[in-house]
């Protein structure tokens, strides 16, 4: 099968491509960009006039709910939603039921993703057995089974001693450690940012110190162990400052932010809007601006969806009793594009933060259009306006505060290994 | 803010639900106080009833223990001739795993007209108001650490009776402001009614985050904060906060923040001492002050009935045009 994508504006940050060119695919792989290879007779031609052609998006954090919570979503349902969002690689955290702490569960997740065929799924293994924070996992076995890193998910990593040992062991096997920076004692079962709005609403707060203390402690252990650490979804400007300093000092650290933290703040909680119940919590306007700036200045490597589909009931309770999270795969790209429209990021920077940069963090061959790579491609119309309504969402979870928002930029076609897995009708 | 406003008020700006003081307006608060004033005579009559809510069913939906609030709501409803159902949910449905929404649907199916809700989660009353059938009014009888608007209004009622006007007053609130729904509602009500100098007095461990956002003056020294105040409101110190990370001991708290006759001397001579109850004698307030001539703690309880009658009648009346032709 030979495919030509013509007339599209190709943006491939890793290869510094930014212009109208044709892209040629054969046998599921990218052959070349520019002039057609000799004797290339396309079986199929995709006309991408007026559209941007970029590598398939790489999402560093998406809960697919399988195994264990299939009432919220399945690998098949959620990867299908990912394809609609132009996402071709998803990294899923280990907090499934059972936890991804054995090769069997890691392999099951990948097998189900392969069977569904909508996107590649790369799992993170658990940092400690059962995420219980006491005994470290068989990281070598997890790596062999396809895990691209280890993570404490949203659980406390146990003591700093356990964390240190886990980081040493991960470093032994060259695995990146994904640390959710939330010091449990300081978070103290809070559910919103500890600030003016949470205080008015009488909701228990999670102070910024819960994040900065965890980041600082982890950074001290990075210096000690040499482990490579990634902080998913930082929410505060102060935590970013600590990461920026560590990067400046040459420490092997990186971080990402979620798309919703770039658009929502604690103000959106007014009226007890449970769709805005997320963890880490939505913080202040200043933090939101700090996160945006962090992507622009390179402190933040990636924008993730932090996709967390829920059944309707999970959000139908008084705020503190609702489950945290947003169904976010289908809004990742338009929300990132909005930051470009706001003049904070260039199109290339934004696409890099959704493709090549997250792929580098995962250490996988994805996120570029280099010849020889899998033809995982996202084609989107950057000017098209559409409105998010729950009826048209493909994710099983319709929990999102962005319902009825007018979005600009819509995926028209997603290719996975040269196969069309989504096409706008 | 707009959302809250819409939720509590109907299209004519009448009170439909009473969830929080925030988003209401000064005139509405004054209407509540005036209506309550008109009901005080009822509670002093031999036949303590008016037929305003005859045929209406009011459900006291208490997910959290309460004696004073629940009984005054019950009395208020009965004096308005409503039928009252007391449901203690801790001992009932949710213990069997029923969701709040299911409990609600079941009660709606029994054709109730009003829910008086107390719940340990902040925002619970909002949640119920958002999801209840349109003919049902919801009165917040305390949700988590968020709001307790009828308590605040009975306090305002008491202050108005004692002092007449609001705008020249200095009012101090002392104690565990951080965890207090009562304090939050009082602060909103006081500022809406024009009190310019609202003080909150507590150690930093008991102050809310960013207290300045409430438009109050913050004191960490009781003596300093009490200087020239007209009204001092003492808050109850929850037992679980007395020892641990928030406070070292009852003893040290009473020494620094307990209200005694001697400290009260710093306030104006005609100072009024209030407390939402139940009081911890010798912890936040000395018995001599609680039972003294400047204390109006028991009057507050009495006023609670009239204020709750006012709020209930106003909220149900906002529904009357829709419900008159109905079967119920």
């Amino acid at each position: 099968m030979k495919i030509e994508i013509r007339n599209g504006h190709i943006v491939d940050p890793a290869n510094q491509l930014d212009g109208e060119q044709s892209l040629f695919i054969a046998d599921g792989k990218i052959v070349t960009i520019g002039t057609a290879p000799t004797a290339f007779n396309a079986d199929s031609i995709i006309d991408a006039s007026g559209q941007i052609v970029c590598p398939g998006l790489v999402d560093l954090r998406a809960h697919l709910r399988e195994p264990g919570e299939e009432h919220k979503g399945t690998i098949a349902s959620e990867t299908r939603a990912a394809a609609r969002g132009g996402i071709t690689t998803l990294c899923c955290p280990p907090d499934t039921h059972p936890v991804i702490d054995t090769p069997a569960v890691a392999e099951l997740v990948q097998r189900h993703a392969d069977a569904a065929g909508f996107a590649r799924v790369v799992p993170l293994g658990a940092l400690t057995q059962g995420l219980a924070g006491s005994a470290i996992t068989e990281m070598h076995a997890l790596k062999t089974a396809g895990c691209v890193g280890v993570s404490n998910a949203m659980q406390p990593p146990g003591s700093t001693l356990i964390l240190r040992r886990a980081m040493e062991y991960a470093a032994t096997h060259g695995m990146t450690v994904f640390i959710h920076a939330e010091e449990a004692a300081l978070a103290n079962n809070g559910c919103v940012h500890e600030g003016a709005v949470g205080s008015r609403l009488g909701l228990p707060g999670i102070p910024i110190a819960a994040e900065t203390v965890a980041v600082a402690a982890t950074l001290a252990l990075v210096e000690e162990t040499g482990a490579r650490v990634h902080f998913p979804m930082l929410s505060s400007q102060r935590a970013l400052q600590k990461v920026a300093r560590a990067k400046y000092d040459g420490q092997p650290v990186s971080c990402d932010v979620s798309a919703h933290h770039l658009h929502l703040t604690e103000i959106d909680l007014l009226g007890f809007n449970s769709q805005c119940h997320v963890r880490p919590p939505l913080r202040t306007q200043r933090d939101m601006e700090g996160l945006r700036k962090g992507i622009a200045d390179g402190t933040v490597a990636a924008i993730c969806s932090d996709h967390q589909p829920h059944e309707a009931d999970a959000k139908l309770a008084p705020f503190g009793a609702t489950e945290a999270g947003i169904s976010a795969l289908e809004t990742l790209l338009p929300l990132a594009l909005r930051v470009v429209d706001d003049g904070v990021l260039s199109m290339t920077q934004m696409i890099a933060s959704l493709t090549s940069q997250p792929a580098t963090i995962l250490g996988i061959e994805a996120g570029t259009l280099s010849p020889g790579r899998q033809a995982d491609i996202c084609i989107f119309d950057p000017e098209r306006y559409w409105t998010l309504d729950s009826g048209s969402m493909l994710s099983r979870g319709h929990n999102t505060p962005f319902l009825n928002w007018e979005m600009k930029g819509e995926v028209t076609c997603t290719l996975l290994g040269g196969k069309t897995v989504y096409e706008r009708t | 803010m707009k959302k809250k406003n819409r939720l509590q008020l109907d299209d004519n700006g009448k009170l439909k639900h009473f969830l929080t003081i925030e988003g209401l307006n000064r005139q509405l608060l004054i209407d509540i106080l005036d209506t309550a004033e008109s009901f005080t005579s009822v509670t002093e009559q031999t036949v303590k009833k008016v037929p305003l809510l005859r045929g209406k069913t009011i459900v006291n939906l208490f997910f959290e223990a309460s004696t004073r609030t629940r009984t005054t709501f019950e009395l208020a409803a009965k004096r308005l001739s409503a039928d009252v159902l007391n449901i203690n949910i801790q001992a009932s449905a949710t213990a069997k795993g029923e969701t709040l929404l299911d409990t609600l649907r079941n009660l709606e199916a029994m054709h109730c007209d009003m829910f008086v809700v107390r719940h340990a989660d902040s925002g619970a009353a909002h949640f119920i108001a958002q999801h209840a059938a349109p003919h049902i009014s919801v009165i917040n009888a305390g949700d988590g650490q968020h709001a307790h608007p009828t308590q605040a209004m009975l306090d305002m009622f008491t202050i108005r009776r004692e002092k007449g006007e609001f705008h020249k007053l200095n009012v101090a609130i002392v104690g565990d402001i951080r965890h207090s729904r009562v304090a939050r509602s009082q602060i909103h009500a006081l500022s809406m009614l024009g009190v310019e100098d609202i003080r909150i007095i507590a150690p930093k461990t008991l102050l809310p985050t960013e207290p300045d956002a409430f438009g109050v003056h913050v004191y960490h020294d009781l003596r300093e904060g009490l200087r020239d105040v007209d009204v001092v409101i003492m808050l109850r110190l929850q037992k679980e906060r007395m020892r641990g990370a928030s406070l070292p001991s009852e003893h040290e708290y009473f020494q620094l923040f307990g209200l005694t006759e001697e400290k009260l001397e710093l306030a104006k001579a005609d100072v009024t001492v209030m407390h939402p109850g139940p009081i911890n004698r010798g912890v936040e307030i000395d018995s001599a002050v609680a039972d003294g001539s400047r204390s109006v703690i028991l009057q507050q309880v009495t006023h609670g009935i009239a204020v709750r009658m006012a709020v209930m009648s106003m909220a149900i009346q906002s529904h009357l045009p829709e419900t008159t032709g109905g079967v119920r």
Side-chain angles (χ1 to χ4, degrees):
Chain A
M1 178 81 170
K2 290 183 172 134
I3 305 165
E4 179 183 348
I5 302 173
R6 61 167 63 154
N7 306 326
H9 183 119
I10 293 195
V11 180
D12 180 16
N15 292 309
Q16 281 107 41
L17 294 181
D18 185 358
E20 198 179 307
Q21 292 185 77
S22 290
L23 188 152
F24 301 92
I25 297 166
D27 303 323
K29 296 211 158 87
I30 292 164
V31 180
T32 188
I33 291 171
T35 12
T38 42
F40 187 94
N41 295 313
D43 303 300
S44 158
I45 292 171
I46 298 172
D47 182 8
S49 309
Q51 318 220 17
I52 287 181
V53 178
C54 70
L57 311 186
V58 178
D59 186 358
L60 283 181
R61 187 175 156 86
H63 288 77
L64 306 177
R65 303 302 192 197
E66 189 183 344
E69 291 182 298
E70 287 83 355
H71 61 293
K72 293 180 187 290
T74 63
I75 289 171
S77 71
E78 302 316 296
T79 50
R80 187 165 163 248
R84 185 200 179 191
I87 301 161
T88 51
T89 303
L90 296 139
C91 180
C92 66
D95 52 351
T96 46
H97 304 284
V99 166
I100 305 179
D101 59 0
T102 59
V105 186
E107 282 160 6
L108 174 131
V109 167
Q110 295 168 89
R111 202 164 56 240
H112 284 199
D114 288 346
F118 293 111
R120 299 176 205 284
V121 174
V122 289
L124 292 179
L127 190 69
T128 56
Q129 292 174 28
L131 292 170
S134 50
I136 61 173
T137 50
E138 295 179 344
M139 294 182 200
H140 175 71
L142 288 169
K143 187 181 184 184
T144 309
C147 290
V148 291
V150 282
S151 160
N152 64 323
M154 295 304 282
Q155 300 302 315
S159 66
T160 42
L161 175 66
I162 300 286
L163 180 58
R164 178 189 178 184
R165 296 292 180 237
M167 285 169 69
E168 285 171 342
Y169 198 70
T172 308
H173 298 290
M175 288 189 101
T176 303
V177 183
F178 289 62
I179 292 294
H180 277 275
E182 184 185 278
E183 168 62 33
L186 283 171
N188 198 18
N189 299 316
C191 60
V192 297
H193 168 63
E194 186 179 287
V197 174
S199 186
R200 269 189 120 78
L201 295 176
L203 291 168
I206 301 174
I208 284 176
E211 187 165 281
T212 52
V213 165
V215 167
T218 308
L219 289 175
L221 291 173
V222 169
E223 289 177 357
E224 191 74 30
T225 62
R228 203 194 168 287
V229 163
H230 179 76
F231 296 106
M233 290 193 304
L234 290 183
S235 63
S236 69
Q237 194 185 19
R238 277 194 263 153
L240 281 199
Q241 284 166 352
K242 293 197 186 308
V243 172
R245 197 164 307 147
K247 282 168 74 94
Y248 179 80
D249 291 342
Q251 299 295 336
V253 296
S254 55
C255 66
D256 68 61
V257 298
S258 81
H260 50 261
H261 280 97
L262 301 175
H263 296 283
L264 304 173
T265 67
E266 57 173 348
I267 301 289
D268 294 291
L269 299 168
L270 286 173
F272 295 99
N273 182 1
S274 64
Q275 299 297 354
C276 290
H277 181 190
V278 294
R279 196 167 145 207
L282 301 173
R283 299 201 185 271
T284 64
Q285 182 76 23
R286 188 194 301 175
D287 289 304
M288 185 181 92
E289 281 160 13
L291 300 185
R292 287 170 159 231
K293 194 171 148 282
I295 309 170
D297 69 22
T299 306
V300 176
I303 304 171
C304 73
S305 73
D306 186 32
H307 177 65
Q308 298 199 43
H310 283 297
E311 76 282 16
D313 280 351
K315 292 287 187 184
L316 282 176
F319 191 95
T322 57
E323 293 184 57
I326 293 175
S327 177
L329 293 171
E330 292 157 82
T331 51
L332 176 62
L333 180 63
L335 290 179
L337 276 165
R338 195 181 272 251
V339 184
V340 175
D341 266 4
D342 291 345
V344 180
L345 296 177
S346 69
M347 181 66 86
T348 307
Q349 280 178 314
M350 185 280 284
I351 289 177
S353 73
L354 289 177
T355 57
S356 54
Q357 289 169 192
T360 302
I361 287 163
L362 297 174
I364 56 170
E365 287 204 345
T368 80
L369 300 176
S370 307
R373 288 288 176 84
Q374 294 282 355
D376 295 354
I377 291 163
C378 166
I379 305 174
F380 66 94
D381 181 342
E383 300 298 327
R384 189 181 162 94
Y385 289 91
W386 59 287
T387 304
L388 183 70
D389 67 284
S390 64
S392 68
M393 285 180 79
L394 295 182
S395 167
R396 200 165 277 184
H398 295 172
N399 50 299
T400 165
F402 300 107
L403 277 187
N404 303 319
W405 275 43
E406 185 169 69
M407 301 286 175
K408 188 182 171 197
E410 190 180 26
V411 173
T412 50
C413 181
T414 306
L415 299 182
L416 182 73
K419 195 172 141 248
T420 303
V421 287
Y422 173 77
E423 203 169 3
R424 195 189 66 207
T425 46
Chain B
M1 292 298 174
K2 266 183 275 163
K3 268 182 204 161
K4 274 188 200 169
N5 213 338
R6 274 205 295 275
L7 190 58
Q8 292 197 93
L9 303 179
D10 68 10
D11 295 340
N12 305 317
K14 292 234 170 81
L15 195 68
K16 185 178 166 208
H17 304 294
F18 193 45
L19 309 174
T20 170
I21 304 289
E22 274 188 282
L24 301 182
N25 54 67
R26 181 184 301 202
Q27 190 50 51
L28 194 67
L29 299 195
I30 290 171
D31 287 349
I32 292 172
L33 297 179
D34 291 346
T35 311
E37 198 66 58
S38 75
F39 282 130
T40 48
S41 58
V42 176
T43 60
E44 284 151 19
Q45 288 162 199
T46 353
V47 179
K48 300 186 181 60
K49 264 193 194 241
V50 284
L52 268 175
L53 299 189
R54 187 153 56 197
K56 299 288 180 190
T57 308
I58 294 175
V59 184
N60 273 331
L61 203 52
F62 276 58
F63 295 85
E64 207 184 55
S66 157
T67 316
R68 199 178 333 261
T69 304
R70 210 213 65 213
T71 44
T72 50
F73 264 111
E74 186 175 348
L75 268 178
K78 286 181 170 164
R79 287 183 182 169
L80 292 167
S81 310
D83 295 320
V84 185
L85 209 61
N86 285 314
I87 301 184
N88 177 1
I89 304 281
Q90 282 157 305
S92 131
T94 44
K96 294 175 198 155
E98 189 176 66
T99 69
L100 182 52
L101 215 51
D102 286 333
T103 307
L104 210 63
R105 295 280 173 262
N106 278 282
L107 290 167
E108 279 175 11
M110 298 173 201
H111 297 297
C112 300
D113 301 284
M114 175 178 281
F115 295 150
V116 176
V117 182
R118 168 166 290 192
H119 198 287
D121 283 328
S122 300
H126 275 78
F127 173 76
I128 291 173
Q130 275 160 350
H131 292 93
H135 67 275
I136 290 175
S137 280
V138 177
I139 309 286
N140 186 2
D143 63 326
Q145 296 167 9
H146 172 237
H148 194 350
T150 58
Q151 175 70 45
M153 288 314 293
L154 74 86
D155 294 332
M156 298 308 112
F157 186 88
T158 308
I159 291 172
R160 193 170 79 163
R161 279 218 156 178
E162 293 294 316
K163 304 291 179 194
E165 285 294 322
F166 285 98
H167 57 267
K168 288 199 181 100
L169 299 179
N170 299 333
V171 180
I173 305 173
V174 186
D176 186 2
I177 323 276
R178 175 177 290 186
H179 303 98
S180 175
R181 54 191 173 210
V182 174
R184 281 175 177 73
S185 288
Q186 284 167 340
I187 291 167
H188 294 311
L190 287 167
S191 70
M192 205 170 276
L193 287 166
V195 174
E196 275 167 23
D197 189 359
I198 306 169
R199 307 173 184 187
I200 58 176
I201 309 172
K204 286 185 176 181
T205 47
L206 298 181
L207 281 178
T209 322
E210 301 189 29
D212 298 341
F214 289 95
V216 294
H217 301 114
V218 180
Y219 293 83
H220 302 304
D221 181 331
L222 181 60
R223 289 170 200 276
E224 205 186 309
L226 283 182
R227 211 168 290 280
D228 297 323
V229 297
D230 298 282
V231 177
V232 52
I233 302 173
M234 301 305 294
L235 296 176
R236 176 175 137 80
L237 192 65
Q238 305 268 335
K239 277 241 162 19
E240 62 269 26
R241 317 250 186 254
M242 286 182 203
R243 286 188 197 82
S246 292
L247 289 175
S249 68
E250 288 169 38
H251 176 75
E252 180 150 316
Y253 184 76
F254 184 70
Q255 281 220 312
L256 297 175
F257 296 97
L259 189 63
T260 58
E261 288 284 1
E262 176 249 326
K263 287 178 197 152
L264 202 54
E265 287 307 310
L266 295 161
K268 288 211 179 117
D270 64 343
V271 64
T272 300
V273 175
M274 297 170 59
H275 192 302
I279 60 177
N280 294 310
R281 289 167 186 269
V283 178
E284 69 259 356
I285 191 165
D286 193 48
S287 284
V289 178
D291 305 329
S293 60
R294 289 171 290 200
S295 161
V296 292
I297 295 173
L298 291 175
Q299 285 92 311
Q300 286 175 267
V301 179
T302 311
H303 296 157
I305 301 169
V307 166
R308 283 164 181 142
M309 286 171 78
V311 171
M312 287 172 146
S313 60
M314 286 168 75
I316 284 199
Q317 271 159 7
S318 81
H319 286 302
L320 282 183
E322 297 162 30
T323 49
T324 34
V327 189
R328 290 172 308 107

